[in-house]
Amino acid sequence: MTVPDELRYTEEHEWVSAGAREGTLRVGITEYAQDQLGDVVFVDLPETGTTVTAGEPFGEIESTKSVSELFAPVDGEVTAVNEAVTEAPEVINSDPYGEGWLIEITPADPAAVDGLLDAEAYQKLIEG
Amino acid sequence: MTATGKPSPLYEVHHDLGATFTEFAGWTMPVRYSSDLAEHRAVRQAAGMFDLSHMGEIEVTGSQAGQALDYAVVGTVSTLKPGKARYTMLCAEDGGVMDDLVVYRLAEDRFLVVANAANVTVVAEALTERAARFSGATVTDRSAEYALIAVQGPASPEIVRAVCDADVDGLKYYSAAPAQVTGHDVLLSRTGYTGEDGFELYCAPDHAAEVWAKLAEVGKPHDLLPAGLAARDTLRLEAGMPLYGNELSREVTPFDAGLGRIVKLDKEGGFVGREALAARAGRPDEKALIGLRGTGRRAPRAGYPVLGPDGPIGHVTSGALSPTLGYPVAMAYVDAGFREPGTELQVDVRGKQLPVEVVELPFYRRS
């Protein structure tokens, strides 16, 4: 299961990277998460401008079998939403760290990302 | 995620295939191998192979085995010819469903009762208790002596024909015959839970890996895929088949589930639950199990409230975005007044309301 070194992670199986625009963070779900979910068939994402709170749900993701919440990694405001995954949610399975990204957030505190898990810690988490 | 249940005799095979496992009724079983949608489609268009070794097998033997079963379940099985099977239910005194079963008559004095994994103990105990008044009937839980592999889908007859000596074309739906696969004895049954033509092969656990491997090898040119419990669930949902724990439970009678036709109230000697079920049969339905069709991609899920114009009228028992049909489908229990196809209702998805329409079951019927 791929856990890219350069990303940060949450215990809820989201990943975080630098966003497309300066000062933003991009958020998706990990390869492990999509594997556990199975085929993703629906994703419900917030609109840009929505305020999100670390550890609180910002959206939902549904596979054939299950419904799961998506959790914000940090406090902030949603500045971009990947509309492509709403149209074709299967890209979350095929490319979870790339085309399958979900939202971008401008964090309230730019340093908050440092409090997230690094790749090594996340790897340990999923190996249980 | 580590599953901690009892491993199937095919656990190693699934592990080598890269399966994702889930704990189901105390067993560790494959939920999917790669993609549950691909596995679902394989069964609809070609063939899929399932490990169902978690199912329970209980034998009822003796000269009064048929009578004992007639007294224990809601259907009549004593009239089955050897080699035939019947879908039936075990009900409590109050008419509540304890399990749904397939009963095979293997010989004049030998029946095999196949129970859901979660209910094996309950079924074995109830059958033992109910058979106690018949001196010529013995109930034995043989679950540990059987592995079960299902091959389902339009290509399944060709695949099964190629692995065994049995008269596959002569084997009718809900019939079973002894056969040999890779030199091992199997009970070959034309049954399933997917809405497609298909077969179930009962064999000794020690032989399961060889039987599986042979089916996989022969099935490969037919695009046979191993399929997990996730695909099994969406397949049976599209086919409108009830699942114990979702549509069936102690809280409902066979009549509530729309399966009153399997209750034989007039059979000789009576049966456990007859009084309650006869009374239920004489009353108009209060609730009904219905099909719901949604729009978009979001599916109603088990437990979500169903709303009529004036508020809650029932709840969803199973639901998914139908892989075959492309729209959300669900089964639900609602007040009987809302059962007519075409009725427009809402499903409450944690505060958001999803429009749905009542449709006939099943959602999918093979052509």
Side-chain angles (χ1 to χ4, degrees), chain B residues 58-103:
Chain B
I58 299 156
E59 225 173 55
V60 184
T61 54
S63 58
Q64 288 185 296
Q67 276 169 272
L69 275 170
D70 280 356
Y71 174 71
V73 303
V74 301
T76 308
V77 297
S78 62
T79 54
L80 284 172
K81 295 203 168 63
K84 293 289 179 188
R86 183 155 291 158
Y87 176 75
T88 190
M89 289 183 189
L90 182 80
C91 285
E93 282 287 0
D94 68 359
V97 179
M98 297 168 74
D99 201 9
D100 62 338
L101 309 166
V102 174
V103 179

Side-chain angles (χ1 to χ4, degrees), chain A residues 55-113:
Chain A
E56 297 289 320
F58 70 79
E60 284 180 347
I61 188 162
E62 298 197 6
S63 65
T64 322
K65 280 297 281 176
S66 65
V67 182
S68 306
E69 289 183 316
L70 297 160
F71 295 92
V74 296
D75 293 349
E77 186 185 319
V78 177
T79 49
V81 177
N82 186 2
E83 302 290 352
V85 299
T86 319
E87 293 300 311
E90 59 273 15
V91 72
I92 296 170
N93 294 110
S94 58
D95 192 8
Y97 297 116
E99 295 297 314
W101 67 276
L102 301 174
I103 58 169
E104 289 188 351
I105 299 172
T106 301
D109 170 12
V113 70

Side-chain angles (χ1 to χ4, degrees), chain B residues 140 191 194 210 260:
Chain B
T140 316
T191 43
T194 60
E210 270 183 64

Side-chain angles (χ1 to χ4, degrees), chain B residues 134-314:
Chain B
F134 301 89
S135 58
T138 307
V139 177
T140 316
D141 184 353
R142 301 232 181 255
S143 301
E145 295 164 45
Y146 285 99
L148 176 55
I149 298 168
V151 182
Q152 302 278 304
S156 60
E158 265 184 277
I159 295 166
V160 171
R161 211 181 289 129
V163 299
C164 72
D165 55 346
D167 175 17
V168 171
D169 298 319
L171 192 68
K172 294 207 169 71
Y173 191 51
Y174 266 72
S175 298
Q180 286 227 316
V181 177
T182 62
H184 300 303
D185 288 334
V186 304
L187 176 68
L188 175 68
S189 160
R190 197 161 201 159
T191 43
Y193 192 51
T194 60
E196 298 299 329
D197 191 5
F199 299 83
E200 295 179 307
L201 293 86
Y202 298 82
C203 67
D206 287 351
H207 301 153
E210 270 183 64
V211 173
W212 177 282
K214 184 70 183 173
L215 287 163
E217 178 200 319
V218 169
K220 201 165 181 189
H222 298 283
D223 297 324
L224 171 90
L225 282 187
L229 294 181
R232 183 168 157 84
D233 193 40
T234 46
L235 288 158
R236 70 91 197 166
L237 171 62
E238 287 181 347
M241 294 171 162
L243 172 64
Y244 198 89
N246 289 46
E247 287 72 35
L248 301 176
S249 72
R250 290 293 288 261
E251 315 308 316
V252 304
T253 69
F255 293 96
D256 299 324
L259 291 165
R261 63 179 181 277
I262 71 167
V263 181
K264 302 302 174 195
L265 290 170
D266 299 330
K267 67 180 164 177
E268 214 177 305
F271 61 95
V272 177
R274 190 198 170 276
E275 204 175 323
L277 289 169
R280 171 65 184 80
R283 283 195 303 267
D285 293 344
E286 285 170 21
K287 57 182 173 182
L289 183 65
I290 55 156
L292 294 173
R293 173 185 176 155
T295 54
R297 299 183 70 85
R298 170 169 273 185
R301 304 278 178 170
Y304 291 2
V306 181
L307 311 175
D310 303 315
I313 57 159

